[in-house]
Amino acid sequence: MNIALIAHDQKKQDMVTFTIEAKEILKDHKLYATGTTGKRITEAANLDVTRFLSGPLGGDQQIGSLVASNDIDLVIFFRDPLMAQPHEPDISALLRLCDVHNVPAATNPVSARVMIKALHEGLIPSRQDIAGGAE
Ligand SMILES: O=C(CO)COP(=O)(O)O
């Protein structure tokens, strides 16, 4: 399965903690991340991550494009709800695409833990299996 991992600066430590905790599950999947988030995950959890641009430079949009083309099965995006981001439209667009294409998205650590458990138990459908259904 293809998993996108994204975290705003004040949430990056939460993402590092989450990925270390979920490493045994995450290592069997293909991981994608925005630039700095991916770097932190690779350094801290030693997981293989395909990195895109940093969020403010277009990374959210790059991941959004994968969501739109049915190439992402799960998005874990720890947003900072207390700080305005210069690329707010990109953030909203990415989460909007998750809803358009019915892709599960977790935006905080508790929902991410629930989601990763569901993934491990086979409860999250592969986009490739249902591709075409979202038109
Ligand atoms: O800004 C982001 C998501 O909106 C994350 O980008 P970075 O992972 O490069 O910090």
Side-chain angles (χ1 to χ4, degrees), residues 6-114:
I6 311 159
H8 287 147
D9 287 352
Q10 299 303 314
K11 299 290 174 183
K12 282 193 173 60
Q13 189 52 50
D14 283 351
M15 180 60 83
V16 163
T17 303
F18 167 74
T19 51
I20 290 172
E21 192 184 288
K23 181 173 174 172
E24 282 309 301
I25 296 173
L26 291 173
K27 71 176 173 44
D28 296 330
H29 298 275
K30 178 102 185 81
L31 307 179
Y32 297 89
T34 47
T36 321
T37 304
K39 186 166 185 283
R40 289 285 305 273
I41 293 168
T42 302
E43 286 169 359
N46 198 26
L47 284 160
D48 248 354
V49 180
T50 299
R51 286 164 57 195
F52 291 109
L53 293 170
S54 185
L57 300 181
D60 301 76
Q61 295 217 24
Q62 289 179 299
I63 291 178
S65 149
L66 290 183
V67 168
S69 54
N70 265 319
D71 287 319
I72 294 288
D73 301 292
L74 169 62
V75 172
I76 295 178
F77 188 170
F78 294 168
R79 282 184 300 173
D80 183 353
L82 300 178
M83 196 173 289
Q85 305 290 327
H87 55 304
E88 198 63 49
D90 296 9
I91 297 160
S92 305
L94 171 54
L95 291 169
R96 179 184 167 275
L97 284 172
C98 291
D99 289 341
V100 168
H101 293 278
N102 207 17
V103 171
T107 55
N108 59 66
V110 172
S111 56
R113 278 186 207 111
V114 171

